[in-house]
Amino acid sequence: MFPARSHGGADGEGVPLYDFSTNSNACGPCPQALLAVQQADASVYPDSGYTGLRARLAAFHGVPVQQVLLAGSASEFIFRVTSLAAQRAGAAVWLPPYSYGDYAQAARAWKLPVVADPRLAQLRWACDPSSPLGAAQAALEELADSTALCVLDRAYEPLRLGDAPAWRAEVLQQFWQLWTPNKALGLTGVRAAYVVGPPGSEDLVAQLESLAPSWPVGAHGVAMLQAWTLPTVQTWLAGCLPVLREWKARQIASCEALGWTCLPSEANFFCVRPALPKGTSLQEALVQLRRHGIKLRDTASFGLPGQVRLGVLAPAAQDALHNAWQHIIRKAT
């Protein structure tokens, strides 16, 4: 048996009725992107070089097409770029204090040490907004180094509900920017991602291409990424943000009414420390909530034990969580 990895979403009990455990856009799925995925022709191979898709993504970001790299998912790229780092003599990895578990898992898989000082690391991870906290990446300038593999995970940038950081272009351009639009589009079941490399990274892009299997992105992923670049889809996403801000404020108020401590966040998710019933552990409470059809994300795998991460959901789901927790409280007393 392989060790289980901690993730949100569906589990052995199926798809939760109210799933707070993922950070998918609760306003989704995006209708136009969903239609594109549904109409994708799965009877033929995609272009193995993704020529048209790479050109569209390059134009979308205003970069040369040689800087664009396709990936099967963010996690697939995490393992692939770690394998590239492992080819460097004495390679080490630096991680943010609280971060997605696959960064560390990939380092362990390649037997790379994780170091406390980023200056000693040939692979440096950043994430903004961060997960699980949804906070801005601190001191990005101090991580930037053109001689290292510096990766900025931008999975939640399209779902940022606060002000964007004012990074200097010369700093940002030293990072490999990892984009996973399926969260913003509400289509997390479609696995596809892409990376924008730094200027002058063509040789490293080619090396990363050589480490990938053929056709890392299937027809449905191609359709989703093509839709991502459409102005109408971006307009739809922009219209989601005010709704998510309103839902987030309501959800925080609902959690605080239960006596939960909510941590600040700039994204469509936030962490809380639940006020547990006497004699009930966090894991026991999460199991009880799951019986009510509600799933929250334990943040222990992010290095933050004793808390949970909640994606922002619509008011009906918030009320279901509130009522289920009150039921657990009454049962405990």
Side-chain angles (χ1 to χ4, degrees):
M1 290 289 292
F2 294 103
R5 298 187 187 182
S6 178
H7 292 294
D11 51 29
E13 299 180 41
V15 179
L17 183 61
Y18 300 110
D19 190 2
F20 291 86
S21 71
T22 77
N23 298 333
S24 183
N25 182 351
C27 295
C30 171
Q32 190 171 2
L34 176 60
L35 181 62
V37 169
Q38 291 172 332
Q39 293 180 341
D41 186 358
S43 69
V44 296
Y45 287 110
D47 165 23
S48 60
Y50 301 100
T51 308
L53 176 57
R54 291 179 66 197
R56 290 179 68 160
L57 292 169
F60 183 69
H61 287 277
V63 300
V65 71
Q66 293 83 2
Q67 289 176 223
V68 176
L69 179 74
L70 273 296
S73 66
S75 292
E76 186 273 317
F77 179 76
I78 289 167
F79 277 78
R80 200 194 321 172
V81 75
T82 304
S83 73
L84 179 62
Q87 297 178 12
R88 301 186 174 189
V93 178
W94 182 85
L95 310 175
Y98 308 111
S99 57
Y100 181 39
D102 273 18
Y103 304 156
Q105 175 64 26
R108 287 192 295 270
W110 284 98
K111 297 181 172 57
L112 298 182
V114 175
V115 295
D117 186 344
R119 293 172 297 180
L120 303 177
Q122 288 71 48
L123 176 57
R124 306 173 187 182
W125 288 102
C127 185
D128 188 275
S130 68
S131 184
L133 293 175
Q137 173 66 50
L140 191 71
E141 296 86 350
E142 297 177 12
L143 297 177
D145 184 346
S146 59
T147 67
L149 290 167
C150 303
V151 186
L152 176 60
D153 188 339
R154 310 199 74 176
Y156 304 112
E157 174 62 32
L159 292 168
R160 184 189 296 276
L161 304 182
D163 294 333
W167 291 322
R168 300 196 316 274
E170 57 268 29
V171 172
L172 193 59
Q173 289 179 355
Q174 295 186 59
F175 284 83
W176 295 77
Q177 299 179 50
L178 174 58
W179 295 90
T180 46
N182 58 353
K183 297 176 179 66
L185 297 175
L187 291 168
T188 53
V190 182
R191 310 304 296 158
Y194 65 96
V195 182
V196 177
S201 61
E202 292 82 0
D203 288 346
L204 284 175
V205 168
Q207 289 183 50
L208 286 163
E209 289 274 17
S210 71
L211 291 169
S214 297
W215 296 289
V217 179
H220 299 94
V222 169
M224 181 188 71
L225 294 178
Q226 287 176 334
W228 170 245
T229 66
L230 297 174
T232 50
V233 169
Q234 293 299 313
T235 298
W236 173 86
L237 176 59
C240 294
L241 301 185
V243 177
L244 292 171
R245 290 189 189 99
E246 180 180 338
W247 288 355
K248 182 179 179 180
R250 186 185 190 277
Q251 188 165 310
I252 290 173
S254 178
C255 290
E256 291 177 339
L258 294 172
W260 295 8
T261 302
C262 301
L263 276 64
S265 161
E266 298 180 3
N268 67 316
F269 56 89
F270 56 94
C271 288
V272 303
R273 185 179 295 277
L276 296 169
K278 187 176 181 179
T280 303
S281 70
L282 177 59
Q283 286 303 315
E284 290 169 339
L286 294 179
V287 168
Q288 293 183 57
L289 283 174
R290 192 68 180 88
R291 291 173 183 154
H292 287 267
I294 298 168
K295 185 175 180 180
L296 312 185
R297 176 73 187 272
D298 184 347
T299 56
S301 68
F302 293 95
L304 195 63
Q307 300 194 36
V308 293
R309 189 193 68 192
L310 278 71
V312 171
L313 295 187
Q318 298 174 20
D319 293 343
L321 172 60
H322 189 95
N323 294 338
W325 191 259
Q326 289 184 320
H327 175 83
I328 291 171
I329 297 292
R330 290 193 298 269
K331 186 177 178 181
T333 57

